[in-house]
Structure formats: structure tokens, C-alpha cells
Amino acid sequence: VSTLTVSVAEILGRPGEYRDLDISASLEGIQTTLARLDATPIATQLRAESIVEGILFSGRVRASAQLECARCLKGFTEPVDLKVRELYAAPGQELGDDVYEVKGLEADLEPMLRDAIALALPLNPLCRPDCKGLCGICGTDWNEGPCDCRVDDVDPRWAPLDALRERLEG
Ligand SMILES: [Zn+2]
Ligand SMILES: [Zn+2]
């Protein structure tokens, strides 16, 4: 049983009743190509609200992610702060396949939090909005200064194409 399993016994089937929950827990293995949740436990401030269909969980989730800049590959850490609002269907409610469910008198919030956090991780993290990236030829970090390749190796006939590419990337 994960620490993210909460009892809803007191409010299930009593629409209008609610409980506030502050839960911290470690979640491992949430990642995308350039981002992953780090070892900092996630902190949630959630309200569990009883409605006719089940229990509605809403509130705030905070975590910390280890990211890799999509342009210069530098690693950096960034807070993850998201809002969630998800229904857990009461036992016996037929609300479809991709709905979270109350099992018995408990709701396991882990799958919901995993889904929400994975969606909140940036797909294209940047160490800073104007990161210049690395030179594709010599690997110089253009944030630290220009290299010589760009000027010397560029065939003037390709200049318009390079300008276009830079505009698209920018
Ligand atoms: Zn960068
Ligand atoms: Zn270079």
C-alpha cells in the first residue's frame, strides 16, 4: 500500500462533505526525455470532496524536477507546481475505462499524481529562454562566447538558409 492511498470512508456517499489533505510522498520513475522528477518528495495540498459520482480531488502539487536544456544540454533543477482536479469514481459507478476509482473505501492517488506530473514536465526545457545552444561543429557553448566555425565554415550560398533556420529555431 503506497503512502498516497487515502481513506475516504468518512465522506464517500455523502455529497457536500469534504476533507483537506496534506500529503508528502516520494515518487520515483516519472520522466520524459529531458526531464525527470528528482528525489525531493512531492508535496500535495488537496481537497477531497464527496460528490454523487464519487470523490473529487483538487488542489496543488509541488515537486522538483531535474531537467536537461534542450539546446545546450546543461543540467538544472526547476520547481514543478501544478494544479490537479480529478474524479475518483465511487464503487459501482460506470464512468468509463480511463477514470480513477475508489477501491473499497480508499483512493490511491499515486496513478493520478503520476499522470498529472508527467504531463507537467517540460518537453523542451531551456536553461534560460535565450539559451544560444552548442555549436554543432566544435561543441562550443555559445552562451560562453562565439566560436570560429560559424563564420569560417559557412558557404555564403547557404547563408539565406542558415538565417531561415535560425529564425525557425529562435
Ligand atoms: Zn541551455
Ligand atoms: Zn564551433
Side-chain angles (χ1 to χ4, degrees):
V1 178
S2 93
T3 53
L4 287 163
T5 298
V6 298
S7 169
V8 294
E10 291 179 317
I11 60 173
L12 189 66
R14 294 178 188 158
E17 297 274 312
Y18 65 85
R19 291 286 179 277
D20 288 328
L21 312 163
D22 288 347
I23 308 170
S24 293
S26 294
L27 277 185
E28 284 173 4
I30 302 180
Q31 57 183 15
T32 59
T33 315
L34 295 173
R36 68 181 164 77
L37 213 64
D38 68 19
T40 314
I42 63 160
T44 69
Q45 291 173 294
L46 298 175
R47 171 161 292 185
E49 186 183 354
S50 184
I51 60 174
V52 173
E53 294 83 0
I55 307 291
L56 186 64
F57 288 92
S58 61
R60 188 173 178 199
V61 179
R62 275 170 299 169
S64 173
Q66 184 65 42
L67 309 177
E68 199 176 309
C69 177
R71 289 185 195 153
C72 74
L73 308 180
K74 195 186 297 166
F76 61 105
T77 302
E78 207 168 72
V80 178
D81 193 335
L82 61 138
K83 291 208 163 70
V84 295
R85 184 178 170 82
E86 292 290 347
L87 171 68
Y88 273 66
Q93 291 275 351
E94 300 292 332
L95 296 179
D97 289 337
D98 51 355
V99 168
Y100 307 108
E101 291 176 335
V102 174
K103 304 254 171 69
L105 294 170
E106 292 181 332
D108 181 2
L109 302 181
E110 182 169 335
M112 182 264 279
L113 291 171
R114 280 187 178 279
D115 293 348
I117 293 169
L119 279 176
L121 290 178
L123 290 173
N124 196 34
L126 295 178
C127 63
R128 58 187 213 217
D130 61 345
C131 174
K132 296 186 178 76
L134 305 177
C135 172
I137 299 163
C138 71
T140 292
D141 185 345
W142 283 335
N143 296 307
E144 284 159 18
C147 58
D148 299 330
C149 325
R150 266 181 122 184
V151 191
D152 294 343
D153 293 352
V154 169
D155 184 322
R157 285 171 301 173
W158 294 108
L161 202 62
D162 284 340
L164 178 67
R165 197 179 59 205
E166 270 195 21
R167 223 171 51 225
L168 290 175
E169 285 174 352

